[in-house]
Amino acid sequence: MSVTIKDVAKMVGVAPSTVSRVIANHPRISAETSKKVRKAMEDLGYHPNVMAKSLVSKTTRTIGVVLPRPAEELLLNFFFYELIRGVLAQLTRSNYDLLMAGGSNEHEELETVTRLVRSGRVDGLLLLYSRASDPVIHFLHEEKVPFVLLGRSLDYEDVPSVDNDNVQAAFDATNHLIAQGQKRIGFVSGPSKLAMTQDRLMGYRKALTEAGLPFKDSWVVEGEFLLESGYRAMAYIMSQPEPPTALVVIDDVVAFGVLKGLTELNYRIPQDVAIVSFNNIALTELTMPPLSSVDVGTYQLGYTASQMVLRMIQQVEITARQIIPHRLVVRESSLLTVPPHA
Amino acid sequence: MSVTIKDVAKMVGVAPSTVSRVIANHPRISAETSKKVRKAMEDLGYHPNVMAKSLVSKTTRTIGVVLPRPAEELLLNFFFYELIRGVLAQLTRSNYDLLMAGGSNEHEELETVTRLVRSGRVDGLLLLYSRASDPVIHFLHEEKVPFVLLGRSLDYEDVPSVDNDNVQAAFDATNHLIAQGQKRIGFVSGPSKLAMTQDRLMGYRKALTEAGLPFKDSWVVEGEFLLESGYRAMAYIMSQPEPPTALVVIDDVVAFGVLKGLTELNYRIPQDVAIVSFNNIALTELTMPPLSSVDVGTYQLGYTASQMVLRMIQQVEITARQIIPHRLVVRESSLLTVPPHA
DNA sequence: TTGAAAGCGCTAACAT
DNA sequence: ATGTTAGCGCTTTCAA
């Protein structure tokens, strides 16, 4: 049998409520009683029963993280992991716990969220990517549950979210290639229903337009956030009569596939094809050649999102949409000493 | 206000206890009542309050995962992530939730675990690596809390754990190199206090001994599970008068650093230096050249460990130590067409 | 087969 | 400043 508030009360010779007040740092409690109670708690190894506490307070000090359904989207891997690190750091600091819940398809995902919310298991939620017409967002919006989206909602304008300026990020990445003298720039994309994909594609197009460079449909390949995706894209994109001499790639892991594909096809990087990608995961430094990548502040993304849900739970006013700054990290994969031949 | 068991009872015109029995699939309940109650639950969108339930049942249907303190050990990254995937899959299947708790140092880690256990937040725990004289293991052992170790305890023989036969795995990896005609084989190692490191080192030595090959201290470099660790090791290990012509590397990510280091030093892989590593994460296929690696069944490791805690919680007898089979996946980094010159 | 009542450990009025 | 009491939503004897 675990030690309860009653045991502590009995030991000190006070009422349970007094012990409760000591725990809650109630103002009107004598220093002396407080000290005795604390000592007793220590001696008995007392830890408050969170379930009982939650039952009456209707709060859990727990934030749920809903994993996007497996494989493809999830395996943003290092990126995802770094995100969780940021989330965990902030939550731990605030004495909140993290509940991870899966769901292997869209239906299950909604079911899980419904359960977590309705059964009072979490005080708030973090959603790890936004899709078009996401039923989960719809549900949470209706129920007025505190939640923060990592990314951007395509359906609701005012959903609290933490995001990068992906349009600008892709614009910057593309412009970097343009500044290197690149004229034929392609885009290896992700799933088109993700807001992130759409934004980055838009930034890429904008940069081309402003520079008066051609945009060709055949230079844009849609795929998943998978290694194979980038690999396969190369067979297609490079078999064209006029293949691009530079590529903007949606994600580092996809870029690894791109590197692999290009190398097998005997293209030199960056001389024949220059590459810039996104997320700047640790491995980007270690590929051959090292990969230029836009650092999107992954850790900070997670950290900020957590901070935001916590604020919402405490009813503190928040700005609905926070933008984490990005920064292009230039490495060899995009650096040309001599401009590409036209 | 959320809908409770009382609301359901009132709607149907039965007692709350009857509703409770329906939920629990109590045998002695009429099919008719059961049907009516279920219908009402559906109509009202009833979800049991987990806190109330936990309070009386003293169980939470939650398993805690304790993260090893950050950075170094944690960043086994892909490996770690794949593990969590396995854990989550099994827990979700069994309707358990996953609570992740951090701790940035050994002290904090113990504190977190103590809190989770004493406050009744979790029914069981998963520990993600074993160190020598780990206070957390000691605590859990004393408290008789159901927990499973991923790895091996250096202190207790009978701690429930899921592990690979790391001695054999390293033995196999090393033998593969030997079979290729390699005679000077080095070892890029991890933190020496981890059981995993010790086991793999032992397997490596065993293979050398059995083949009558020399073991040299200077061919073994201790490091972290970091990219830089492998990178730096190369500067040291290859500057010797007689450097190894093959390397067994503790982890894929470390091996990436090794690849990088060797390439910069103008060694060709596998002609000058052959490489085999461990964990077989997805990226191993994509390096130049693709990396031979021992697949340790990461997903299964997590899956099995979860299964095991659940069994312990249900008081089902378990075998204290489960071994997940490994399998060497040979790729180009270790494949020699011509034996290395002596 | 079902209902009534007690109680899980805690907090929060309301007293004193 | 502290004690008394009721109740959070649920399960579980004990009765009927």
Side-chain angles (χ1 to χ4, degrees), chain A residues 87-151:
Chain A
V87 168
L88 215 56
Q90 169 63 31
L91 293 185
T92 304
R93 237 173 57 95
S94 310
N95 290 313
Y96 268 72
D97 285 319
L98 207 198
L99 193 75
M100 290 186 70
S104 44
N105 56 61
E106 201 152 329
H107 176 68
E108 249 182 69
E109 206 176 314
L110 178 59
E111 207 158 68
T112 303
V113 170
T114 308
R115 181 178 59 83
L116 291 183
V117 169
R118 290 265 166 78
S119 70
R121 212 155 187 358
V122 298
D123 294 346
L125 284 164
L126 252 33
L127 261 41
L128 291 192
Y129 304 117
S130 44
R131 298 176 287 278
S133 51
D134 190 323
V136 172
I137 294 187
H138 184 78
F139 169 76
L140 293 173
H141 203 256
E142 291 275 296
E143 297 268 317
K144 304 209 180 307
V145 180
F147 80 98
V148 171
L149 190 65
L150 277 144

Side-chain angles (χ1 to χ4, degrees), chain B residues 164-233:
Chain B
N164 298 109
D165 185 341
N166 278 309
V167 177
Q168 185 68 41
F171 183 81
D172 293 350
T174 311
N175 265 347
H176 161 65
L177 293 172
I178 294 172
Q180 302 283 310
Q182 297 288 358
K183 305 230 178 298
R184 297 181 352 223
I185 306 174
F187 190 80
V188 180
S189 182
S192 60
K193 62 176 178 174
L194 290 184
M196 190 192 78
T197 303
Q198 298 181 17
D199 290 350
R200 290 185 182 166
L201 189 56
M202 181 178 297
Y204 154 78
R205 294 194 67 154
K206 191 172 154 224
L208 293 186
T209 307
E210 291 194 7
L213 290 177
F215 168 85
K216 289 177 78 170
D217 268 330
S218 60
W219 287 352
V220 177
V221 194
E222 186 178 320
E224 309 281 336
F225 288 114
L226 293 174
L227 310 148
E228 288 74 19
S229 199
Y231 181 74
R232 288 205 208 94

Side-chain angles (χ1 to χ4, degrees), chain A residues 61-211:
Chain A
R61 291 198 87 84
T62 303
I63 299 297
V65 169
V66 182
L67 303 184
R69 50 187 170 304
E72 323 104 338
E73 289 172 58
L74 192 51
L75 281 182
L76 276 170
N77 46 59
F78 275 83
F79 171 76
F80 169 81
Y81 184 57
E82 186 68 6
L83 204 64
I84 291 291
R85 267 194 54 217
V87 168
L88 215 56
Q90 169 63 31
L91 293 185
T92 304
R93 237 173 57 95
S94 310
N95 290 313
Y96 268 72
D97 285 319
L98 207 198
L99 193 75
M100 290 186 70
S104 44
N105 56 61
E106 201 152 329
H107 176 68
E108 249 182 69
E109 206 176 314
L110 178 59
E111 207 158 68
T112 303
V113 170
T114 308
R115 181 178 59 83
L116 291 183
V117 169
R118 290 265 166 78
S119 70
R121 212 155 187 358
V122 298
D123 294 346
L125 284 164
L126 252 33
L127 261 41
L128 291 192
Y129 304 117
S130 44
R131 298 176 287 278
S133 51
D134 190 323
V136 172
I137 294 187
H138 184 78
F139 169 76
L140 293 173
H141 203 256
E142 291 275 296
E143 297 268 317
K144 304 209 180 307
V145 180
F147 80 98
V148 171
L149 190 65
L150 277 144
R152 183 168 74 80
S153 172
L154 290 165
D155 304 314
Y156 302 89
E157 267 301 316
D158 55 339
V159 168
S161 46
V162 180
D163 201 1
N164 299 110
D165 185 341
N166 278 309
V167 177
Q168 185 67 41
F171 183 81
D172 293 349
T174 311
N175 265 346
H176 161 65
L177 293 172
I178 294 172
Q180 301 283 308
Q182 298 287 359
K183 306 233 179 296
R184 298 186 343 231
I185 306 174
F187 189 79
V188 181
S189 181
S192 59
K193 61 177 176 173
L194 290 183
M196 189 192 78
T197 302
Q198 298 181 17
D199 290 350
R200 291 186 182 165
L201 188 57
M202 182 179 297
Y204 154 78
R205 293 195 67 154
K206 192 174 151 219
L208 293 186
T209 306
E210 291 195 7

Side-chain angles (χ1 to χ4, degrees), chain B residues 158-162 308 311 316-323:
Chain B
D158 54 339
V159 167
S161 45
V162 180
M308 220 156 136
R311 292 235 175 91
V316 178
E317 271 308 313
I318 51 151
T319 35
R321 199 169 150 67
Q322 293 242 26
I323 301 300

Side-chain angles (χ1 to χ4, degrees), chain A residues 1-2 45 47-52 54-55 58 60-62 67 74-75 77-78 80-81 88 97-100 102 114-116 118-121 227 256 260 263 282-283 285-286 288 290, chain B residues 1-2 45 47-52 54-55 58 60-62 67 74-75 77-78 80-81 88 97-100 114-116 118-121 227 256-257 260 263 282-283 285-286 288 290:
Chain A
M1 202 48 223
S2 179
H47 277 250
N49 180 313
V50 288
M51 296 312 157
S54 291
L55 184 55
K58 309 254 177 248
T60 61
R61 291 198 87 84
T62 303
L67 303 184
L74 192 51
L75 281 182
N77 46 59
F78 275 83
F80 169 81
Y81 184 57
L88 215 56
D97 285 319
L98 207 198
L99 193 75
M100 290 186 70
T114 308
R115 181 178 59 83
L116 291 183
R118 290 265 166 78
S119 70
R121 212 155 187 358
L227 311 147
F256 293 154
K260 170 84 168 170
T263 307
L283 286 174
E285 303 187 48
L286 290 176
M288 274 300 291
Chain B
M1 200 51 219
S2 177
H47 278 250
N49 180 314
V50 289
M51 297 310 158
S54 291
L55 183 55
K58 309 252 177 252
T60 61
R61 292 199 87 85
T62 303
L67 303 185
L74 193 51
L75 280 182
N77 45 58
F78 276 84
F80 170 80
Y81 186 58
L88 214 57
D97 285 320
L98 206 196
L99 193 75
M100 290 187 71
T114 308
R115 180 178 60 83
L116 290 183
R118 290 264 167 77
S119 69
R121 209 151 188 4
L227 310 148
F256 293 154
K260 170 84 168 171
T263 308
L283 286 175
E285 303 187 47
L286 290 176
M288 276 299 292

